[in-house]
Amino acid sequence: MNRLIVISNRVMLPSLNNKESAGGLGVAIEESLKRNGGVWFGWSGEISNDKKIEPEVLKNDNVTYVTLKLSPENYENFYNGYSNASLWPLLHYRLDLVEYSKKKYSGYQRVNSIFSDLISPFLLKEDIIWVQDYHFILLARELRKKKCTNKMGFFLHVPWPSKEVLMTLPDHKEIVESLLDYDVIGFQTKSYVLSFLDYIIREMNGTIDSDGFVFAKGKKVKVQHFPISIDTEKFIELSKNAVGSAHVNRLVESLGKSNLIIGVDRLDYSKGIINRFKAYENLLEKYPEHKRNSTLMQIAPISRGDVWQYKELRQELETEAGHINGLYSDFDWTPIRYLNRGFNRKILAGFFRRSQIGLVTPFRDGMNLVAKEYVAAQDPSNPGVLILSQFAGAAEELDGAIIVNPYDIEAITEAINISLKMSSEEKLHRWIRMIEQINEFDIHKWSKNCIKAIESITV
Ligand code: ADQ
């Protein structure tokens, strides 16, 4: 078995005591590394003013963890800049929020190059390289410049946009050409694969064959969709164990007879939280029978708090939640509970299980694992309803959900109303279709399939 080299923005260090709070992705990567042996590279999450920044290297059994601090300039231009203020909004179709400058792009190139310098000395000839996400699109190109001939795969966790949207990025050509230096490019959904192929054919005069290979710029690359998933078995277990726990009991008590509608997201403009609030306000106005017998709980810990777009979003959501609560609250009932804090996975699983509706309405989302976690957490004897945006990657798989257009506030309102009135039979019927899907395709299958695809490339 070949050793595995993983590069991702953040690394899950073995010192993380409470593995229960770790996400499925980190656990699956760690598991693959332990199976194959290998090295995991990433940013330490820290900023350093040192002139020469040395990596921190940690060994645990057959896995080595290598993390690097970023200089303030690289943090600003690579992380806050090109990654999160240029690529992230662009890949999520928020062209109005894209901030672009050559300086940011240079920072992005520089950090990709720094990481290639960091990785090179660790590489053995047969190692397989697996790069995660939009922070490191240029990494294969940088490594190839250093004569690296290892098999390399890339997986994009976020959406790949249509050609028209992508081409608003001044560096779109270089970005796509760099991707062609990988041997395998993985996307979350078929639809992102199609958008990528459309660009290859129409912008690069490339061709494709029936085995999913792309031929362009003298390169041959396998392009495939690998829908990411969750550790289904583990999440089911967590949700069962959460029954009767202190947090869940307190939640149930505080709700009284109210139906719980739950939203759980990182506080991000791509998640469509604002339209969720507006749809709920609409519901209380249009269907007053849901006043007092429903509560929307939105859990949204602050993320990327340094970036101005995120600061504005916070203000907007606080204003909207305050407005709705001011208008509809009673002395013993509050319609929206808006919490800017995270909870560990066991508590979340318990909250999901106790809620009648999972409201997952991103404007765009690569996959959205919350949707899958919500399904896994349900009590088979009384499952809740998932309301899911048609623009979440998960909508390609979870056809038992009520699928909505997240821009259509009235459609979300109607979906909530229908869900609150849905029969137990229909809820069960819808849920079974979804749980079967995520039982069969879990995160372990995802990581194995990704690695197998890279391994089986013949170079
Ligand atoms: P994210 O944008 O972070 O991930 P998502 O897939 O919904 O979005 O969540 C990832 C994990 O974070 C899940 O396990 C979830 O439970 C956890 N999480 C989210 N909100 C939380 C909260 N409020 N409190 C605690 N935990 C929370 C990116 C892409 C997604 C893609 C994933 C994985 O944007 O589209 O599904 O990567 O590829």
Side-chain angles (χ1 to χ4, degrees), residues 25-81:
L25 174 62
V27 173
I29 290 178
E30 185 183 64
E31 188 184 83
S32 310
L33 280 162
K34 283 184 175 162
R35 195 168 44 240
N36 296 46
V39 194
W40 191 350
F41 295 90
W43 174 39
S44 67
E46 294 160 309
I47 300 167
S48 164
N49 284 308
D50 295 352
K51 271 225 162 67
K52 188 164 169 22
I53 299 178
E54 294 295 340
E56 279 171 49
V57 181
L58 209 132
K59 278 193 178 178
N60 191 34
D61 296 331
N62 59 348
V63 182
T64 305
Y65 302 80
V66 184
T67 54
L68 198 62
K69 293 178 181 147
L70 289 178
S71 69
E73 203 195 341
N74 287 338
Y75 173 70
E76 215 32 58
N77 290 298
F78 159 78
Y79 184 73
N80 275 345

Side-chain angles (χ1 to χ4, degrees), residues 325-374:
N325 281 342
L327 200 60
Y328 289 102
S329 288
D330 210 335
F331 67 91
D332 57 352
W333 172 66
T334 310
I336 297 191
R337 299 181 185 186
Y338 178 43
L339 294 77
N340 286 145
R341 53 168 290 203
F343 286 92
N344 77 36
R345 306 177 64 69
K346 182 175 169 192
I347 297 173
L348 273 188
F351 287 175
F352 285 149
R353 195 176 178 96
R354 175 55 186 81
S355 51
Q356 280 65 41
I357 300 178
L359 197 49
V360 183
T361 55
F363 294 132
R364 288 276 156 187
D365 217 328
M367 176 54 66
N368 195 301
L369 294 179
V370 170
K372 294 186 174 181
E373 289 168 351
Y374 181 78

Side-chain angles (χ1 to χ4, degrees), residues 168-180:
T168 61
L169 183 71
D171 323 299
H172 63 93
K173 253 201 178 126
E174 200 171 324
I175 288 287
V176 177
E177 281 184 27
S178 300
L179 275 173
L180 296 175

Side-chain angles (χ1 to χ4, degrees), residues 88 157-158 188 228 264-266 271 299-301 342-343 345 348 365-370 373:
W88 176 272
H157 289 260
V158 297
Q188 300 270 28
I228 198 167
V264 172
D265 308 78
R266 268 188 314 103
K271 303 290 181 183
I299 298 175
F343 286 92
R345 306 177 64 69
L348 273 188
D365 217 328
M367 176 54 66
N368 195 301
L369 294 179
V370 170
E373 289 168 351

Side-chain angles (χ1 to χ4, degrees), residues 235-433:
F235 211 80
I236 292 174
E237 175 99 10
L238 277 182
S239 74
K240 281 191 200 157
N241 291 342
V243 174
S245 66
H247 275 85
V248 173
N249 283 349
R250 277 170 56 196
L251 175 68
V252 171
E253 233 168 75
S254 72
L255 284 168
K257 291 203 171 86
S258 231
N259 287 300
L260 180 61
I261 305 165
I262 193 165
V264 172
D265 308 78
R266 268 188 314 103
L267 190 52
D268 193 288
Y269 48 78
S270 66
K271 303 290 181 183
I273 302 171
I274 189 73
N275 280 7
R276 225 174 277 176
F277 284 4
K278 287 183 176 163
Y280 186 60
E281 177 181 11
N282 216 14
L283 180 93
L284 298 178
E285 195 189 331
K286 195 167 169 194
Y287 300 103
E289 66 267 32
H290 297 309
K291 278 186 203 162
R292 307 189 64 88
N293 81 359
S294 69
T295 296
L296 171 60
M297 181 162 80
Q298 176 65 54
I299 298 175
I302 290 156
S303 92
R304 301 174 195 165
D306 293 354
V307 182
W308 67 264
Q309 290 94 332
Y310 289 75
K311 288 185 189 153
E312 281 198 3
L313 174 73
R314 267 176 76 184
Q315 266 189 354
E316 192 186 16
L317 290 171
E318 280 162 16
T319 305
E320 189 62 25
H323 159 73
I324 298 168
N325 281 342
L327 200 60
Y328 289 102
S329 288
D330 210 335
F331 67 91
D332 57 352
W333 172 66
T334 310
I336 297 191
R337 299 181 185 186
Y338 178 43
L339 294 77
N340 286 145
R341 53 168 290 203
F343 286 92
N344 77 36
R345 306 177 64 69
K346 182 175 169 192
I347 297 173
L348 273 188
F351 287 175
F352 285 149
R353 195 176 178 96
R354 175 55 186 81
S355 51
Q356 280 65 41
I357 300 178
L359 197 49
V360 183
T361 55
F363 294 132
R364 288 276 156 187
D365 217 328
M367 176 54 66
N368 195 301
L369 294 179
V370 170
K372 294 186 174 181
E373 289 168 351
Y374 181 78
V375 172
Q378 295 311 296
D379 178 351
S381 68
N382 181 25
V385 183
L386 175 66
I387 298 176
L388 179 61
S389 160
Q390 68 188 85
F391 302 121
E396 257 187 30
E397 291 172 90
L398 301 180
D399 62 354
I402 299 190
I403 304 289
V404 292
N405 176 348
Y407 294 94
D408 186 348
I409 293 169
E410 283 175 35
I412 305 174
T413 304
E414 293 309 318
I416 301 174
N417 180 47
I418 289 170
S419 304
L420 286 170
K421 294 173 178 165
M422 191 180 280
S423 69
S424 308
E425 292 75 33
E426 182 173 352
K427 286 186 198 169
L428 184 64
H429 177 71
R430 286 174 171 274
W431 176 74
I432 286 175
R433 291 205 328 246

Side-chain angles (χ1 to χ4, degrees), residues 7-23:
I7 300 95
S8 58
N9 180 46
R10 299 301 301 276
V11 168
M12 193 179 85
L13 293 173
S15 50
L16 185 69
N17 306 322
N18 181 7
K19 295 271 166 175
E20 263 201 356
S21 69

